[in-house]
Amino acid sequence: SDGRFRLPRWASCNNFFMKITKNIEWEVEGLDNLRIDEWYLVISNHQSWSDIFVLQKIFNMRIPFLKFFLKKELIWVPFMGLAWWALDFPFMKRYTESYLKKHPEKRGKDIEITRKACEKFKYIPVSIMNFVEGSRFTAEKHDRQRSPFTNLLKPKAGGIAFVLSAIGEQLHKILNVTISYPKGNRSFWGFISGKVPLVRVFIEELSITKEILGDYTNDEKFRAYFQEWLNKIWIEKDARLKSMSM
């Protein structure tokens, strides 16, 4: 899983990406202070698979290679599981509360497994990526959730709280990304077929303070605080998406 495996494929991906997006106008704000030798947690809204290409495009050679936290079971997905493993994507094991009630000896083991998976990131700068909504935005999902936001699904706090608990002391900043497709078709097919003429991206740097590092699973007070902290970010993101769509 060294650079000999990654870089040729990464370059090919970028070349392909530039080919299919050459007619897109890009309006990106917030890139100035980023460093390729820092450790980041990247969070973003999620509207389509195009978002992944957008993130790769804007962050290429500006921050470390984007890596996604994946459920440990996904390592068995044919072909992709091997590719994710070779690219050093961290696999995590999460236990449900019902499982922990039956097996209390496993409490805390999921954090321990994730920390071990991330040991190498102490020495190699990395960008951990998380789509906080947990799913792509659709009107149907929005209605089903009864989301209080206009342009977003409800944020899922547990995922990023888990990452911060596991490796928060290694990370330097949170990059809060808002992606907007104000014109055209935001679907992935629309994106690669030239029907997205404009992409707007806003990047906000957030500090990682001791207040957002805690035991989300077992500390009820911390869990309430963390959910409120993330909800405020999502309120601001919702308003920003509205202005970016005009």
Side-chain angles (χ1 to χ4, degrees):
S1 59
D2 60 15
R4 288 172 296 175
F5 179 93
R6 283 199 297 265
L7 293 179
R9 289 157 180 78
W10 179 233
S12 297
C13 179
N14 284 333
N15 290 338
F16 172 71
F17 182 83
M18 293 304 296
K19 181 178 179 181
I20 65 177
T21 62
K22 60 183 178 181
N23 295 320
I24 293 177
E25 179 184 354
W26 296 86
E27 295 181 5
V28 184
E29 185 178 349
L31 290 173
D32 294 343
N33 298 319
L34 302 182
R35 294 170 56 98
I36 202 164
D37 59 350
E38 295 279 6
W39 282 254
Y40 294 104
L41 170 62
V42 181
I43 63 175
S44 176
N45 61 309
H46 192 17
Q47 300 177 73
S48 78
W49 290 115
S50 309
D51 301 336
I52 296 173
F53 285 89
V54 169
L55 291 166
Q56 288 178 343
K57 153 75 175 173
I58 64 171
F59 286 134
N60 185 31
M61 301 306 294
R62 293 180 182 273
I63 66 174
F65 186 84
L66 285 170
K67 296 182 187 291
F68 295 76
F69 261 92
L70 301 169
K71 294 179 182 178
K72 198 162 188 177
E73 291 77 11
L74 293 178
I75 199 170
W76 302 112
V77 174
F79 305 111
M80 292 304 296
L82 180 60
W84 290 327
W85 171 81
L87 286 166
D88 285 335
F89 279 37
F91 289 89
M92 63 182 183
K93 179 74 175 178
R94 296 191 68 185
Y95 298 113
T96 63
E97 192 58 36
S98 59
Y99 178 86
L100 290 173
K101 285 180 180 178
K102 295 178 181 178
H103 304 275
E105 74 280 2
K106 295 290 187 180
R107 192 170 294 276
K109 290 290 185 182
D110 47 3
I111 293 287
E112 183 182 329
I113 290 169
T114 302
R115 283 202 181 103
K116 287 182 178 178
C118 297
E119 277 292 315
K120 67 191 73 177
F121 299 151
K122 289 182 179 179
Y123 312 103
I124 304 172
V126 68
S127 302
I128 300 295
M129 177 65 219
N130 189 289
F131 288 118
V132 180
E133 293 158 291
S135 180
R136 288 166 288 165
F137 179 95
T138 66
E140 180 185 357
K141 292 174 187 175
H142 182 271
D143 293 343
R144 188 166 63 243
Q145 279 192 355
R146 297 183 179 178
S147 173
F149 308 102
T150 304
N151 305 291
L152 299 165
L153 302 179
K154 295 177 181 178
K156 296 185 176 181
I160 62 171
F162 186 82
V163 172
L164 289 169
S165 176
I167 60 168
E169 293 180 359
Q170 293 170 227
L171 299 169
H172 294 162
K173 293 281 185 179
I174 297 172
L175 299 183
N176 175 28
V177 181
T178 305
I179 302 173
S180 174
Y181 306 93
K183 300 177 182 177
N185 188 334
R186 70 185 179 194
S187 71
F188 182 60
W189 175 248
F191 187 72
I192 64 174
S193 60
K195 296 179 180 179
V196 177
L198 174 64
V199 176
R200 288 183 177 141
V201 184
F202 181 84
I203 303 151
E204 176 189 21
E205 288 192 30
L206 303 175
S207 298
I208 298 177
T209 63
K210 63 180 181 180
E211 285 78 16
I212 60 172
L213 301 177
D215 187 348
Y216 187 86
T217 302
N218 301 306
D219 187 336
E220 190 174 329
K221 185 176 180 181
F222 172 75
R223 183 164 61 249
Y225 173 84
F226 194 87
Q227 289 172 347
E228 182 180 359
W229 170 80
L230 183 58
N231 200 57
K232 287 179 180 177
I233 291 174
W234 236 239
I235 290 171
E236 294 173 3
K237 185 182 290 292
D238 198 36
R240 188 175 300 281
L241 259 177
K242 182 178 180 181
S243 66
M244 291 170 69
S245 300
M246 294 178 179

